């Protein structure tokens, strides 16, 4: 997010570099994660901007935007009754009970998603929690995919749209943390699909 504030294309350049370096930070310490982000981010910046980037990371200046993305993820997961059906033992559990659990997310685990998965793709009409589900959705006949796209997820001005995407193609929003293996798997498939 900090790099995107400097230049929008830096966001995707950072993601590309991160994915190519095959980082998996699930077991990393906060200090290690910070250092890796700093090293990769500074590879795009020079001099004073590099120092400003580090200072911004220390101040967590992107935290409000990240909180907003987390709220959108919560809305995505709660917009489908699946999370209630799969993860509650009581039939009298309210939305607010499930929302409280959202605040306890850990890296690689989402208590509201099936099997606690931390990454998913929202197509507007379906949530896809496995790469195999995403591949099947991407391989739907075009007519069906376009018909299904009438319920596309809402896109906001601050969303990061993959640069090679065709705006007339169905929309898929990837929710997940960059350092997780599920993000890498989903991102690779979506990036490749956007080129087709």
């Amino acid at each position: 997010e900090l790099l995107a504030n400097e230049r929008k294309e830096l966001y995707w350049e950072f993601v590309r570099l991160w994915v190519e370096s095959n980082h998996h930070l699930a077991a990393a310490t906060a200090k290690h994660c910070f250092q890796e982000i700093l090293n990769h981010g500074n590879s795009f910046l020079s001099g004073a901007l590099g120092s400003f980037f580090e200072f911004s990371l220390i101040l967590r200046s992107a935290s409000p935007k990240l909180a907003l993305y987390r709220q959108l993820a919560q809305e995505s997961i709660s917009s489908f009754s699946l999370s209630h059906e799969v993860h509650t033992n009581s039939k009298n559990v309210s939305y607010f009970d499930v929302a409280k659990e959202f605040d306890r997310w850990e890296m690689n685990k989402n208590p509201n998603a099936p099997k606690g998965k931390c990454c998913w793709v929202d197509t507007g009409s379906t949530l896809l929690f496995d790469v195999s589900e995403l591949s099947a959705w991407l391989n739907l006949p075009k007519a069906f995919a376009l018909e299904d796209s009438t319920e596309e997820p809402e896109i906001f001005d601050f969303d990061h749209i993959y640069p090679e995407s065709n705006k007339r193609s169905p929309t898929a929003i990837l929710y997940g943390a960059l350092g997780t293996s599920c993000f890498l798997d989903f991102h690779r498939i979506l990036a490749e699909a956007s080129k087709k």
Side-chain angles (χ1 to χ4, degrees):
E1 291 305 317
L2 294 172
L3 291 169
N5 289 339
E6 183 58 32
R7 284 194 338 259
K8 285 188 177 198
E9 65 273 8
L10 287 180
Y11 177 87
W12 290 110
E13 289 177 32
F14 180 88
V15 170
R16 181 191 48 75
L17 180 64
W18 195 269
V19 168
E20 286 174 0
S21 62
N22 207 23
H23 282 288
H24 300 276
L25 296 178
T29 64
K31 184 177 180 178
H32 175 76
C33 184
F34 173 85
Q35 195 58 51
E36 289 296 313
I37 292 169
L38 185 60
N39 292 343
H40 281 68
N42 277 330
S43 69
F44 300 110
L45 305 170
S46 60
L49 279 179
S51 296
F52 181 71
F53 178 68
E54 182 174 3
F55 186 64
S56 295
L57 278 174
I58 291 168
L59 289 178
R60 298 180 179 210
S61 62
S63 290
K65 194 175 227 181
L66 296 177
L68 173 61
Y69 284 126
R70 194 172 199 152
Q71 177 64 35
L72 290 172
Q74 180 181 0
E75 289 175 14
S76 168
I77 204 93
S78 65
S79 66
F80 293 85
S81 61
L82 177 66
S83 61
H84 275 343
E85 293 169 11
V86 174
H87 294 285
T88 60
N89 295 327
S90 168
K91 293 182 181 179
N92 297 323
V93 175
S94 72
Y95 164 80
F96 297 103
D97 294 327
V98 174
K100 284 180 203 170
E101 287 298 312
F102 180 82
D103 291 333
R104 297 186 210 153
W105 277 22
E106 299 172 21
M107 183 69 100
N108 286 327
K109 186 177 179 189
N110 174 353
N112 298 335
K115 299 178 188 170
K117 299 213 175 186
C118 68
C119 299
W120 67 93
V121 172
D122 186 342
T123 68
S125 60
T126 306
L127 295 182
L128 308 170
F129 293 94
D130 291 304
V131 171
S132 60
E133 294 172 338
L134 175 60
S135 295
W137 182 77
L138 289 169
N139 290 320
L140 288 173
K142 286 191 186 238
F144 183 76
L146 290 173
E147 180 181 306
D148 185 48
S149 70
T150 58
E151 294 183 43
E152 288 190 351
E154 186 173 0
I155 303 294
F156 298 98
D157 291 338
F158 52 81
D159 281 331
H160 301 288
I161 299 170
Y162 196 72
E164 298 177 37
S165 298
N166 181 338
K167 293 181 184 191
R168 290 175 287 181
S169 296
T171 300
I173 297 177
L174 171 57
Y175 290 100
L178 184 59
T180 60
S181 59
C182 61
F183 178 89
L184 297 174
D185 295 340
F186 277 114
H187 172 73
R188 285 182 178 129
I189 289 173
L190 288 169
E192 189 58 38
S194 73
K195 296 173 186 174
K196 295 180 180 175

